[in-house]
Amino acid sequence: MIQDKNSSETYLLSETLEEAVRVSEITSRPLLLKGEPGTGKSLLAEYLAQKTNRPLFTWHVKSTSQAKEGLYFYDAVSRLNDSRFAEDTDKVRKIENYIRLGALGQAFDSPVSSVVLIDEIDKADIEFPNDLLLELDRMEFSIQETGRVVKAKVRPLTIITSNNEKELPAAFLRRCIFHYIDFPEPSFMSDIIKSHFPKIDTELLKRALEAFYVIRRMDDMKKKPGTSELLDWIQILVHMGADLSSEEKIPYLGALVKNEEDLRLFR
């Protein structure tokens, strides 16, 4: 059976990343992860939640995201609809019935230790990280509409990812434990592939890795293939029963190369 390449069941934790997680837990500071797309930044949170049997709360940041959304939001639309159609007027009168906690809010409100993923924080406005400083420091916030204070019962493990689209503010960086996930060396990449494809032919694995790293070393490549592309390519090779030893050209190149300029290098 071929396992999902995005499954945390096949996640391999390097020694340096494992150390960074420990430091984050000891200091109770968020762990800020950077690295190439496809190096497993976001998947780490799911892996840690499953490994330690903790609930996972995920916040996928968008360009339009505001910091408050991760804490809570007031569902005014539902309240308006209920006021027009619902028979339960007592529910409509109580505004707390329409307060929905976001990922951070749910983690703070959780009675047990949890894992929070703030994914791709650099997609939002430059002030977005600074707007979370107080809440991440104190692990509490107030709901303006009701006056309720939500304070973390157990401090969650917070994983924050960034793809370096924007520089993050210095004040925010000071409050984080930082780790850069280096692109895997061939030996570690071999272990990653074997965790996904335990029955892969040794010779196929060897030749596939050789071809992959040759491509990554090409200076003119605009978009170098990453781990995700490699796993897709391996899946195709295994499924098609490919024999790279007899191939003059790299087969199924579309799994590795993702734009026309790079494709011209091979033609």
Side-chain angles (χ1 to χ4, degrees), residues 29-30 32 118 121 128-133 136 160 168-177:
R29 291 193 177 276
L32 173 62
I118 304 177
I121 194 171
F128 179 91
N130 281 340
D131 292 341
L132 289 173
L133 290 181
L136 289 175
I160 303 173
L168 299 176
F172 179 79
L173 293 175
R174 284 197 299 271
R175 289 165 169 82
C176 296
I177 301 300

Side-chain angles (χ1 to χ4, degrees), residues 245-262:
S245 62
S246 61
E247 296 284 351
E248 295 182 2
K249 297 181 180 180
I250 298 175
Y252 316 115
L253 198 56
L256 296 173
V257 180
K258 297 304 174 77
N259 64 61
E260 61 276 14
E261 293 182 34
D262 289 340

Side-chain angles (χ1 to χ4, degrees), residues 201-214:
D201 178 75
T202 303
E203 188 63 22
L204 175 62
L205 173 59
K206 176 186 174 183
R207 292 184 179 274
L209 284 175
E210 288 174 352
F212 174 74
Y213 281 96
V214 165

Side-chain angles (χ1 to χ4, degrees), residues 222-234:
K222 289 188 64 175
K223 167 66 174 70
K224 296 181 184 294
T227 306
S228 180
E229 286 87 359
L230 174 59
L231 292 174
D232 281 343
W233 189 49
I234 293 288

Side-chain angles (χ1 to χ4, degrees), residues 10 12 184 187-197 227 231:
T10 54
L12 293 184
S187 58
F188 189 55
M189 184 65 84
S190 176
D191 292 337
I192 293 174
I193 293 172
K194 289 177 182 177
S195 71
H196 289 265
F197 307 95
T227 306
L231 292 174

Side-chain angles (χ1 to χ4, degrees), residues 16-29:
T16 55
L17 182 53
E18 187 174 9
E19 179 182 278
V21 172
R22 286 201 303 269
V23 171
S24 175
E25 292 189 301
I26 291 170
T27 59
S28 296
R29 291 193 177 276

